[in-house]
Amino acid sequence: MANRVSQGGLAPSSQPTAQHRAELRAFRVCGKRALDPTWAGWVPGWEQVRPLAAFSSERHTLLISFFSVLLPLPVVRRLYEAGIVLLFAVVAVRSWRTRGAGPTVRELAFGFALSQSVELLAVQHGRYDYPDWLVYFPPHPEWVPLGVGLGWAAIVPVVMRMSERILGQAAPAAKLAALDGAMAVGVDLVIDPAVSGEPLRMWTWRGEGMTPYRAWLLGVPVFNFVGWFLLVAACGWQLRVVERRSQGAQRWWRLGLFLACDLIIATVVMRLPW
Amino acid sequence: MVKLVRRVLAAHFEAVFYVYLWANASLLAVMVGRPWLGAIGLVTVLPFVILYRRTARTPR
């Protein structure tokens, strides 16, 4: 059972039965009381403290006692995936309205192309894995979900605009980029431990054939946070340099050149002993 | 109320979006049984928001 779930395999969920609801009520009442191991005992470390949530591997159901809500785990996963696409759409519309078509398309396209390519490289290098997402891009091999690249593409312009408001639009591109990266890491320190850990496991850091990590923070490899900083900072710096110093079609050529350089650097970074 | 929300979104969409990412991740953290994760954002997210708010108020 544990193996099936740790490999990311999710069977169709079923509705919680009256018995499970009763057990959940008991769980809520007893707070930190350990659950019956025959029911939910497979989760590594579950027996320590899970005061607000319980997870039944038997039915792959995430039972959330908080607010008495019961949500099947696959539903939470799909909601998360759909939510990213929705956020991307919102950011795209906002950027289109306030900055116009040209900068919007360049920022979103470059953000998506760079992040999706780097993610593909990382998965190929066995750094992490994205099991059981709905839509992958490219569809074969099923390595990186479309939502991941779209999520990056949505975050980059948001932190870029915030940095420009904080430091001023005329600030040096490198300084703005460093702030972009720091802000992205700031929010990822909450996102990644919650989403990549049990029981959601939207992405996994350990597995057969994957590269082991040495340094961890909050259950997430330090490599991840360094990667977030580098990727967002590089994206922000390169987009600003191109917007400030190039015109017309030259911008696309320069972005293409930056993309190629970034992929070389990313390959080197991924080979380091993290 | 709707007007206020629209006005805030129009002026500070990025900051609202940034805080939303934190809030959403914090909610997920609560759902998966690690509510303390959201509190990390008090140190890693909130300073940027405060900085943004201060500079947004100061005319350049």
Side-chain angles (χ1 to χ4, degrees):
Chain A
M1 186 69 68
N3 283 342
R4 185 150 50 103
V5 177
S6 66
Q7 287 164 9
L10 294 171
S13 64
S14 61
Q15 291 296 317
T17 61
Q19 183 197 350
H20 287 100
R21 287 182 187 280
E23 284 178 343
L24 184 68
R25 273 197 298 276
F27 175 73
R28 266 207 308 274
V29 169
C30 297
K32 294 177 182 178
R33 192 196 73 153
L35 291 165
D36 176 5
T38 57
W39 180 58
W42 69 273
V43 179
W46 72 275
E47 65 283 346
Q48 291 170 6
V49 175
R50 285 187 177 271
L52 294 173
F55 179 64
S56 161
S57 65
E58 192 67 34
R59 286 149 194 85
H60 301 289
T61 303
L62 179 67
L63 302 174
I64 300 151
S65 60
F66 197 64
F67 297 133
S68 303
V69 177
L70 301 179
L71 284 177
L73 182 60
V75 171
V76 179
R77 291 174 64 91
R78 295 294 168 255
L79 282 175
Y80 185 80
E81 190 172 352
I84 294 175
V85 179
L86 187 67
L87 289 182
F88 172 81
V90 169
V91 170
V93 169
R94 160 77 181 184
S95 181
W96 193 288
R97 282 183 181 171
T98 54
R99 290 171 54 80
T104 299
V105 172
R106 272 191 297 278
E107 280 180 4
L108 296 181
F110 183 68
F112 177 79
L114 176 58
S115 57
Q116 196 77 5
S117 311
V118 170
E119 294 276 352
L120 282 165
L121 269 177
V123 172
Q124 194 187 18
H125 278 81
R127 282 299 178 182
Y128 41 81
D129 188 28
Y130 290 99
D132 296 305
W133 285 60
L134 204 58
V135 184
Y136 287 84
F137 184 83
H140 298 287
E142 291 185 345
W143 280 355
V144 181
L146 178 69
V148 170
L150 294 182
W152 281 105
I155 286 175
V156 167
V158 165
V159 292
M160 281 176 73
R161 298 295 90 74
M162 279 186 76
S163 300
E164 287 162 6
R165 285 287 284 270
I166 292 171
L167 296 176
Q169 284 192 330
K175 211 171 165 182
L176 288 166
L179 187 57
D180 295 343
M183 280 198 289
V185 172
V187 79
D188 186 51
L189 279 163
V190 184
I191 295 175
D192 241 294
V195 178
S196 68
E198 298 287 354
L200 272 179
R201 294 170 62 90
M202 297 300 290
W203 45 91
T204 55
W205 305 107
R206 301 180 182 92
E208 202 175 323
M210 288 167 73
T211 314
Y213 292 98
R214 294 176 181 181
W216 294 77
L217 180 65
L218 301 168
V220 175
V222 172
F223 161 81
N224 170 71
F225 301 115
V226 175
W228 266 71
F229 180 84
L230 291 177
L231 192 59
V232 173
C235 228
W237 181 73
Q238 289 159 5
L239 281 166
R240 286 192 188 96
V241 167
V242 165
E243 291 296 324
R244 288 177 184 181
R245 298 184 190 172
S246 310
Q247 295 290 326
Q250 200 185 23
R251 285 175 168 155
W252 286 104
W253 285 109
R254 289 198 171 175
L255 284 177
L257 196 63
F258 273 134
L259 179 63
C261 294
D262 289 340
L263 292 182
I264 294 168
I265 294 168
T267 308
V268 173
V269 170
M270 276 168 212
R271 287 175 184 272
L272 295 175
W274 293 98
Chain B
M1 184 65 184
V2 176
K3 272 186 181 177
L4 178 71
V5 171
R6 277 187 180 176
R7 208 171 60 206
V8 170
L9 275 176
H12 308 289
F13 171 83
E14 284 77 19
V16 172
F17 186 92
Y18 189 64
V19 171
Y20 168 79
L21 287 179
W22 170 33
N24 194 34
S26 302
L27 181 65
L28 266 176
V30 169
M31 287 164 67
V32 299
R34 277 169 287 174
W36 49 269
L37 276 175
I40 293 171
L42 292 174
V43 182
T44 62
V45 173
L46 211 54
F48 294 117
V49 179
I50 292 169
L51 208 56
Y52 173 91
R53 199 156 170 237
R54 276 188 189 169
T55 46
R57 280 179 173 177
T58 315
R60 286 184 181 278

